[in-house]
């Protein structure tokens, strides 16, 4: 509670109970965006798969081989078939997404995970899926893609979110 006292000088320190905003794997109460916590994995999975219908809409415009890997200078140095780019990448990220969700829920300490940490688990793969496939499609269609800048922005935002999530969860659990 001392963290709040710094900002709340001479006011009563209001602390959250230790179980506030925690994730209960059996809970059906409403979480982010009004979804039940059990159905939020389905919603985030659908977001992970959004690149598939976009790829199908762009199918005739995509070349047979598309860049799926870039070097440190932002120059494509790895190519895959458009089938893999449209179907394989999102499905691979969906598998990673569910491994992360199931692994996190299977943790014996899962009941104590703050909601912000669970939000990170639910959102990191969908965001990466949209980012990766968006970059692949843009490059394949001839749009200039600065993959280095986009990657740095994505990683930076992710680290900021992680740092803030841990800072907030530690400050609340210490009170």
């Amino acid at each position: 509670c001392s963290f709040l006292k710094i900002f709340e000088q001479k006011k009563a320190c209001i602390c959250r109970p230790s179980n506030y905003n925690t994730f209960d794997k059996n809970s059906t109460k409403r979480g982010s965006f009004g979804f039940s916590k059990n159905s939020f994995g389905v919603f985030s999975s659908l977001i992970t798969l959004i690149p598939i219908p976009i790829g199908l809409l762009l199918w005739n415009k995509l070349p047979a081989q598309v860049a799926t890997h870039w070097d440190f200078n932002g120059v494509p140095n790895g190519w895959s078939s458009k089938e893999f780019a449209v179907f394989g990448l999102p499905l691979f990220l969906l598998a990673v997404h569910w491994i992360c969700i199931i692994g996190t829920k299977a943790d014996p300490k899962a009941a104590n995970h703050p909601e912000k940490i669970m939000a990170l688990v639910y959102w990191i793969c969908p965001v990466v899926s949209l980012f990766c496939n968006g970059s692949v499609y843009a490059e394949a269609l001839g749009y200039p893609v600065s993959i280095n800048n986009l990657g740095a922005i994505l990683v930076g935002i992710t680290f900021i979110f992680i740092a803030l999530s841990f800072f907030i969860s530690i400050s609340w659990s210490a009170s």
Side-chain angles (χ1 to χ4, degrees), residues 102-162:
I102 292 169
T104 305
K105 285 184 176 183
D107 181 10
K109 299 177 186 175
N112 296 326
H113 288 320
E115 191 172 319
K116 290 192 184 291
I117 300 300
M118 289 308 299
L120 180 67
V121 171
Y122 279 118
W123 281 111
I124 197 152
C125 284
V127 169
V128 168
S129 176
L130 294 174
F131 168 79
C132 289
N133 279 79
S135 300
V136 167
Y137 296 159
E139 178 74 27
L141 296 174
Y143 294 105
V145 176
S146 176
I147 197 72
N148 291 345
N149 291 341
L150 291 174
I153 290 169
L154 179 67
V155 170
I157 290 171
T158 303
F159 282 147
I160 288 169
F161 184 80
I162 291 170

Side-chain angles (χ1 to χ4, degrees), residues 8 14 17 48 56 58 64-65 72-73 85 98 100 123 136 162 164:
E8 300 280 332
I14 301 170
T48 305
L56 291 173
L58 299 172
Q65 294 288 312
F72 286 110
N73 296 321
W98 277 101
C100 292
W123 281 111
V136 167
I162 291 170
L164 289 174

Side-chain angles (χ1 to χ4, degrees), residues 49 51-56 59 62 66 81-91 133 136-137:
L49 296 175
I52 293 176
I54 293 171
L56 291 173
W59 189 265
L62 293 173
V66 295
S81 67
K82 72 177 173 181
E83 292 83 8
F84 178 78
V86 171
F87 298 107
L89 287 176
L91 291 173
N133 279 79
V136 167
Y137 296 159

